[in-house]
Coordinates of all heavy atoms in Angstrom, one line a residue:
L1251 N 19.3 -8.0 11.1 CA 20.0 -8.9 10.1 C 21.5 -8.8 10.2 O 22.2 -9.7 9.9 CB 19.5 -8.4 8.7 CG 18.0 -8.5 8.4 CD1 17.7 -8.1 7.0 CD2 17.5 -9.9 8.7
E1252 N 22.0 -7.7 10.7 CA 23.5 -7.5 10.8 C 24.0 -8.0 12.2 O 25.2 -8.0 12.3 CB 23.8 -6.0 10.6 CG 23.5 -5.5 9.2 CD 23.6 -4.1 9.0 OE1 23.9 -3.4 10.0 OE2 23.2 -3.5 8.0
N1253 N 23.1 -8.4 13.1 CA 23.6 -8.8 14.4 C 23.9 -10.3 14.4 O 23.0 -11.1 14.2 CB 22.6 -8.5 15.5 CG 23.0 -8.7 16.9 OD1 23.9 -9.5 17.1 ND2 22.4 -8.0 17.8
P1254 N 25.1 -10.7 14.5 CA 25.4 -12.2 14.5 C 24.8 -13.0 15.5 O 24.6 -14.2 15.4 CB 27.0 -12.2 14.6 CG 27.3 -10.9 15.3 CD 26.3 -9.9 14.8
A1255 N 24.3 -12.4 16.6 CA 23.6 -13.1 17.7 C 22.2 -13.4 17.3 O 21.5 -14.3 17.9 CB 23.7 -12.4 19.0
M1256 N 21.6 -12.6 16.4 CA 20.2 -12.7 16.1 C 20.0 -13.4 14.7 O 19.9 -12.8 13.7 CB 19.6 -11.3 16.1 CG 19.5 -10.7 17.4 SD 18.6 -9.2 17.6 CE 18.7 -8.9 19.4
T1257 N 20.1 -14.7 14.8 CA 19.9 -15.5 13.6 C 18.6 -16.2 13.6 O 17.9 -16.3 14.7 CB 21.0 -16.6 13.5 OG1 21.0 -17.3 14.8 CG2 22.4 -15.9 13.4
P1258 N 18.1 -16.7 12.5 CA 16.8 -17.4 12.5 C 16.7 -18.5 13.5 O 17.6 -19.4 13.5 CB 16.6 -17.9 11.1 CG 17.5 -17.0 10.3 CD 18.6 -16.6 11.1
G1259 N 15.7 -18.5 14.4 CA 15.6 -19.6 15.4 C 16.5 -19.4 16.6 O 16.4 -20.3 17.5
A1260 N 17.2 -18.4 16.7 CA 18.1 -18.2 17.9 C 17.3 -18.1 19.1 O 16.2 -17.6 19.2 CB 19.0 -16.9 17.7
R1261 N 17.8 -18.7 20.2 CA 17.1 -18.8 21.5 C 17.9 -18.0 22.5 O 19.1 -18.1 22.6 CB 16.9 -20.2 21.9 CG 16.0 -21.0 21.0 CD 15.7 -22.4 21.4 NE 15.0 -23.2 20.5 CZ 13.7 -23.3 20.4 NH1 13.0 -22.7 21.3 NH2 13.1 -24.0 19.5
F1262 N 17.2 -17.3 23.4 CA 17.7 -16.5 24.5 C 16.9 -17.0 25.7 O 15.9 -16.4 26.1 CB 17.6 -15.0 24.3 CG 18.3 -14.5 23.0 CD1 17.7 -14.6 21.8 CD2 19.5 -13.9 23.1 CE1 18.3 -14.1 20.6 CE2 20.1 -13.4 22.0 CZ 19.5 -13.5 20.8
G1263 N 17.4 -18.0 26.3 CA 16.6 -18.6 27.4 C 15.3 -19.2 26.9 O 15.3 -20.0 25.9
R1264 N 14.2 -18.7 27.4 CA 12.9 -19.1 26.9 C 12.4 -18.3 25.7 O 11.3 -18.6 25.2 CB 11.8 -19.0 28.0 CG 12.1 -20.0 29.2 CD 10.9 -20.2 30.0 NE 11.1 -21.2 31.0 CZ 11.0 -22.5 30.8 NH1 10.8 -23.0 29.6 NH2 11.2 -23.4 31.8
V1265 N 13.2 -17.4 25.2 CA 12.8 -16.6 24.1 C 13.4 -17.2 22.8 O 14.6 -17.5 22.7 CB 13.3 -15.1 24.3 CG1 13.1 -14.3 23.0 CG2 12.7 -14.5 25.5
K1266 N 12.6 -17.2 21.7 CA 13.0 -17.7 20.4 C 12.7 -16.6 19.4 O 11.7 -16.0 19.3 CB 12.3 -19.0 20.0 CG 12.7 -19.5 18.7 CD 11.8 -20.7 18.3 CE 12.2 -21.3 16.9 NZ 11.3 -22.4 16.5
L1267 N 13.7 -16.3 18.5 CA 13.5 -15.4 17.4 C 12.9 -16.3 16.3 O 13.6 -17.1 15.7 CB 14.8 -14.8 16.9 CG 15.5 -13.9 17.8 CD1 16.7 -13.3 17.2 CD2 14.6 -12.9 18.4
Q1268 N 11.6 -16.1 16.1 CA 10.9 -17.1 15.2 C 10.9 -16.7 13.7 O 11.1 -17.5 12.9 CB 9.4 -17.2 15.7 CG 8.6 -18.2 14.9 CD 9.2 -19.6 15.1 OE1 9.4 -20.0 16.2 NE2 9.4 -20.3 14.0
G1269 N 10.7 -15.4 13.4 CA 10.6 -15.0 12.0 C 10.5 -13.5 12.0 O 10.5 -12.8 13.0
I1270 N 10.3 -13.0 10.7 CA 10.2 -11.5 10.5 C 8.7 -11.2 10.1 O 8.2 -11.9 9.3 CB 11.2 -11.1 9.4 CG1 12.6 -11.5 9.8 CG2 11.0 -9.6 9.2 CD1 13.2 -10.9 11.0
K1271 N 8.2 -10.1 10.7 CA 6.8 -9.8 10.5 C 6.7 -8.6 9.5 O 7.3 -7.6 9.7 CB 6.2 -9.4 11.9 CG 4.9 -8.6 11.8 CD 3.7 -9.5 11.4 CE 2.4 -8.7 11.5 NZ 2.1 -8.2 12.9
F1272 N 5.8 -8.8 8.5 CA 5.5 -7.8 7.6 C 4.0 -7.4 7.7 O 3.2 -8.2 8.1 CB 5.7 -8.2 6.1 CG 7.1 -8.5 5.8 CD1 7.7 -9.7 6.2 CD2 7.9 -7.6 5.1 CE1 9.1 -10.0 5.9 CE2 9.2 -7.8 4.8 CZ 9.8 -9.0 5.2
T1273 N 3.7 -6.1 7.4 CA 2.3 -5.7 7.4 C 1.9 -5.2 6.0 O 2.6 -4.3 5.6 CB 2.0 -4.6 8.5 OG1 2.3 -5.2 9.8 CG2 0.6 -4.1 8.5
L1274 N 0.8 -5.7 5.5 CA 0.4 -5.3 4.1 C -0.8 -4.4 4.1 O -0.9 -3.6 3.2 CB 0.2 -6.5 3.2 CG 1.4 -7.4 3.0 CD1 1.0 -8.5 2.0 CD2 2.6 -6.7 2.5
D1275 N -1.7 -4.5 5.1 CA -2.8 -3.7 5.1 C -3.2 -3.4 6.6 O -2.5 -3.7 7.5 CB -4.0 -4.2 4.3 CG -4.7 -5.5 4.9 OD1 -4.0 -6.1 5.8 OD2 -5.8 -5.8 4.5
G1276 N -4.4 -2.9 6.8 CA -4.8 -2.5 8.1 C -5.9 -3.4 8.7 O -5.8 -4.7 8.6
S1277 N -6.9 -2.9 9.3 CA -7.9 -3.6 10.0 C -9.3 -3.4 9.4 O -9.7 -2.3 9.1 CB -8.0 -3.0 11.5 OG -9.2 -3.2 12.1
P1278 N -10.0 -4.6 9.2 CA -11.4 -4.4 8.6 C -12.4 -3.7 9.5 O -13.2 -3.0 9.0 CB -11.8 -5.9 8.3 CG -10.9 -6.7 9.3 CD -9.7 -6.0 9.4
Q1279 N -12.3 -3.9 10.8 CA -13.2 -3.2 11.7 C -12.9 -1.7 11.7 O -13.8 -0.9 12.0 CB -13.3 -3.8 13.1 CG -12.0 -3.7 13.9 CD -11.1 -4.9 13.7 OE1 -11.0 -5.5 12.6 NE2 -10.4 -5.3 14.8
A1280 N -11.7 -1.3 11.4 CA -11.3 0.1 11.3 C -11.5 0.7 9.9 O -11.3 1.8 9.7 CB -9.9 0.3 11.8
R1281 N -11.8 -0.2 9.0 CA -12.0 0.1 7.6 C -10.7 0.6 6.9 O -10.7 1.5 6.1 CB -13.2 1.1 7.4 CG -14.5 0.7 8.0 CD -15.7 1.4 7.4 NE -15.8 2.8 7.5 CZ -16.2 3.4 8.6 NH1 -16.6 2.7 9.7 NH2 -16.3 4.7 8.6
T1282 N -9.6 0.0 7.3 CA -8.3 0.3 6.7 C -7.8 -1.0 6.0 O -6.7 -0.9 5.4 CB -7.3 0.8 7.7 OG1 -7.1 -0.1 8.8 CG2 -7.8 2.2 8.2
A1283 N -8.4 -2.1 6.1 CA -7.9 -3.3 5.4 C -8.2 -3.1 3.9 O -9.0 -2.4 3.5 CB -8.7 -4.6 5.9
F1284 N -7.3 -3.8 3.1 CA -7.3 -3.6 1.6 C -8.1 -4.7 0.9 O -7.8 -5.8 1.0 CB -5.8 -3.6 1.2 CG -5.6 -3.3 -0.3 CD1 -6.3 -2.4 -1.0 CD2 -4.5 -4.0 -0.9 CE1 -6.1 -2.2 -2.3 CE2 -4.2 -3.7 -2.2 CZ -5.0 -2.8 -2.9
F1285 N -9.2 -4.2 0.2 CA -10.1 -5.1 -0.4 C -10.1 -4.9 -1.9 O -9.8 -3.8 -2.4 CB -11.5 -4.9 0.1 CG -11.7 -5.5 1.5 CD1 -11.4 -4.8 2.6 CD2 -12.3 -6.8 1.6 CE1 -11.6 -5.4 3.9 CE2 -12.5 -7.4 2.9 CZ -12.1 -6.7 4.0
T1286 N -10.7 -5.8 -2.6 CA -11.0 -5.7 -4.1 C -12.4 -5.1 -4.3 O -12.8 -4.8 -5.3 CB -10.9 -7.0 -4.8 OG1 -11.8 -7.9 -4.2 CG2 -9.5 -7.5 -4.8
R1287 N -13.2 -4.9 -3.2 CA -14.5 -4.3 -3.2 C -14.6 -3.2 -2.3 O -13.7 -3.0 -1.4 CB -15.6 -5.4 -2.8 CG -15.5 -5.9 -1.4 CD -16.6 -6.8 -1.1 NE -16.5 -8.1 -1.8 CZ -17.5 -8.6 -2.6 NH1 -18.6 -7.9 -2.7 NH2 -17.4 -9.7 -3.2
D1288 N -15.6 -2.3 -2.4 CA -15.7 -1.1 -1.6 C -16.4 -1.4 -0.3 O -17.2 -2.3 -0.2 CB -16.5 0.0 -2.4 CG -15.7 0.6 -3.5 OD1 -14.4 0.5 -3.4 OD2 -16.3 1.1 -4.4
Y1289 N -16.0 -0.6 0.7 CA -16.7 -0.6 2.0 C -18.0 0.2 1.8 O -18.0 1.3 1.3 CB -15.9 0.1 3.1 CG -14.7 -0.6 3.6 CD1 -13.5 -0.5 2.9 CD2 -14.7 -1.3 4.8 CE1 -12.3 -1.1 3.4 CE2 -13.6 -1.9 5.3 CZ -12.4 -1.8 4.6 OH -11.2 -2.4 5.1
A1290 N -19.1 -0.4 2.3 CA -20.4 0.4 2.2 C -20.4 1.7 3.0 O -21.0 2.7 2.6 CB -21.5 -0.5 2.6
L1291 N -19.6 1.7 4.1 CA -19.6 2.9 5.0 C -18.5 3.8 4.6 O -18.3 4.9 5.2 CB -19.4 2.4 6.4 CG -20.5 1.6 7.0 CD1 -20.2 1.3 8.5 CD2 -21.8 2.3 7.0
G1292 N -17.7 3.4 3.6 CA -16.6 4.3 3.1 C -15.4 4.2 4.0 O -15.2 3.3 4.7
S1293 N -14.5 5.3 3.9 CA -13.3 5.3 4.6 C -13.5 5.6 6.1 O -14.7 5.9 6.5 CB -12.4 6.4 4.0 OG -13.0 7.7 4.3
P1294 N -12.5 5.6 7.0 CA -12.7 5.9 8.4 C -13.4 7.3 8.6 O -14.1 7.4 9.6 CB -11.3 5.9 9.0 CG -10.6 4.9 8.1 CD -11.1 5.1 6.7
D1295 N -13.2 8.2 7.7 CA -13.9 9.5 7.8 C -15.1 9.6 6.9 O -15.6 10.7 6.7 CB -12.9 10.6 7.6 CG -12.3 10.6 6.2 OD1 -12.2 9.5 5.6 OD2 -12.0 11.7 5.7
G1296 N -15.6 8.5 6.3 CA -16.8 8.5 5.6 C -16.7 8.8 4.1 O -17.7 9.0 3.4
Q1297 N -15.5 8.8 3.5 CA -15.3 9.2 2.1 C -15.6 8.0 1.2 O -15.3 6.8 1.6 CB -13.9 9.6 1.9 CG -13.5 10.9 2.6 CD -14.3 12.1 2.3 OE1 -14.5 12.4 1.1 NE2 -14.8 12.8 3.3
H1298 N -16.2 8.2 0.1 CA -16.6 7.2 -0.9 C -16.0 7.6 -2.2 O -15.9 8.7 -2.6 CB -18.1 7.1 -1.0 CG -18.8 6.6 0.2 ND1 -19.0 5.2 0.5 CD2 -19.3 7.2 1.3 CE1 -19.6 5.1 1.6 NE2 -19.8 6.3 2.1

């Protein structure tokens, strides 16, 4: 954000700075995604 060369949509040859990535939860197959319901198998180590 403080680098004047790195602005939204800036291009470096074939490279484009498209946007900023946020992560809110994990992976459903790893049982770390965030749900309003419980996993039947529990946490990754089987906790319920």
Side-chain angles (χ1 to χ4, degrees):
L1251 300 180
E1252 294 167 5
N1253 187 335
M1256 293 190 174
T1257 55
R1261 295 182 188 268
F1262 300 81
R1264 293 199 177 279
V1265 176
K1266 180 185 179 186
L1267 297 187
Q1268 185 61 52
I1270 305 298
K1271 164 73 175 295
F1272 294 82
T1273 295
L1274 299 185
D1275 72 342
S1277 155
Q1279 64 269 34
R1281 307 205 297 278
T1282 58
F1284 184 34
F1285 284 86
T1286 57
R1287 64 175 69 234
D1288 288 337
Y1289 289 84
L1291 298 178
S1293 70
D1295 60 332
Q1297 299 298 310
H1298 293 272

